[in-house]
Amino acid sequence: MTPRQAFWRVFRWSARVALLSGTAFVLWLLAVWPPPTWYRTHWPRKTPFMAVRHDDSVRRYIPVTLANISPHLVRAVIVAEDHRFREHGGIDYAAMRDAVGYRRRDFSWRDPRDRRELWRALRKVAGNPGDLRGASTITQQLAKNLYLSSSRNPMRKVKEGVLAWRLERALGKDRVLELYMNIAELGTGIWGVEAASQKYFGRSAKGLGARDAAALAATLPHPRTSNPAYRPGRMRWRQNLILGRMGW
């Protein structure tokens, strides 16, 4: 056996061990966390992210159904945060592939070019794990907000993926979107689109037009430092980007 053959034998063995270990861990998570069916009909009283902020005295949190949210706002949030939301099953593998920089269309362990490209992409993302944040779906963000924290521990991404898969199957797309839009942080002490709409625009989320809807969606990535009441220049740039993608 040549050194090259020995290397690939060890590599394949290590990959199988890692796959089996990962599968066992995911199965353990499925056993530990019951299906999130409670959220089909209930709103969270306080999420882990709300608890971390310590803003009880100023918290604005007014959950509303999707029917009481402007269609412009629903569309703006999907366009801004997860344009394939209706297509994926909780995890957008195409977005993850793009985020890690894997440039080949398919993958096979038997193809040395695929293996080299995967290794290059993994080394890149290991050096800059923040690249994966842009690939998070709305469902993954909901999983993080409902159950986890802002920790950047790599295992959190695994937990987030398992939870996203379960949320999609337990709740369905509309309820996932409804929950996300009601517990997302949209400013200091402001949680959800209804509280944000009343605070920034003086009216219900149901009555928002396209421009105000895009402004709220533009707030989502950095709600404390870029919202309609603070650093509007940065928020306006993203608002116009979202409006362009919506065709306005």
Side-chain angles (χ1 to χ4, degrees), residues 31-44:
V32 169
W33 284 331
T37 51
W38 189 82
Y39 287 118
R40 287 178 181 170
T41 54
H42 293 76
W43 302 103

Side-chain angles (χ1 to χ4, degrees), residues 122-232:
L122 291 176
R123 282 187 297 180
K124 175 179 175 290
V125 79
N128 188 16
D131 288 349
L132 282 175
R133 281 182 301 210
S136 288
T137 64
I138 283 174
T139 317
Q140 286 175 272
Q141 293 178 58
L142 175 64
K144 179 181 68 176
N145 290 345
L146 279 178
Y147 293 101
L148 304 173
S149 70
S150 58
S151 165
R152 296 183 182 179
N153 186 312
M155 293 312 301
R156 195 212 76 191
K157 295 299 292 185
V158 176
K159 295 176 182 177
E160 189 180 285
V162 173
L163 284 166
W165 183 84
R166 302 198 86 183
L167 284 167
E168 289 260 344
R169 281 142 191 82
L171 306 179
K173 289 289 185 182
D174 284 348
R175 183 57 175 166
V176 165
L177 184 61
E178 189 173 70
L179 281 164
Y180 173 71
M181 294 181 71
N182 276 286
I183 66 171
E185 186 177 24
L186 288 162
T188 302
I190 302 171
W191 301 89
V193 296
E194 180 65 20
S197 182
Q198 291 186 21
K199 170 67 176 179
Y200 297 131
F201 309 117
R203 60 183 181 277
S204 165
K206 189 173 184 177
L208 292 186
R211 292 201 65 82
D212 289 342
L216 274 193
T219 299
L220 285 165
H222 307 286
R224 294 196 160 212
T225 59
S226 182
N227 59 55
Y230 185 64
R231 292 190 185 176

Side-chain angles (χ1 to χ4, degrees), residues 62-135:
I62 311 169
V64 293
T65 64
L66 212 56
N68 288 300
I69 298 174
S70 163
H72 293 301
L73 183 52
V74 172
R75 186 179 175 204
V77 168
I78 292 175
V79 164
E81 294 295 289
D82 182 5
H83 69 280
R84 283 192 286 262
F85 173 69
R86 296 289 181 184
E87 301 167 21
H88 61 67
I91 301 173
D92 189 341
Y93 294 103
M96 289 182 66
R97 180 195 64 200
D98 294 342
V100 302
Y102 181 80
R103 297 171 296 197
R104 295 179 65 78
R105 188 170 185 84
D106 300 308
F107 178 79
S108 170
W109 283 112
R110 296 178 179 275
D111 190 327
R113 293 172 299 177
D114 287 354
R115 294 197 301 263
R116 284 196 299 270
E117 179 59 23
L118 176 63
W119 181 242
R120 184 203 64 79
L122 291 176
R123 282 187 297 180
K124 175 179 175 290
V125 79
N128 188 16
D131 288 349
L132 282 175
R133 281 182 301 210

Side-chain angles (χ1 to χ4, degrees), residues 16 22 52 55 63 69 103 109 122 130 192 202 204 215 234 239 241:
R16 290 191 186 101
V52 166
D55 59 6
I69 298 174
R103 297 171 296 197
W109 283 112
L122 291 176
S204 165
R234 189 163 118 190
Q239 175 192 28
L241 180 65

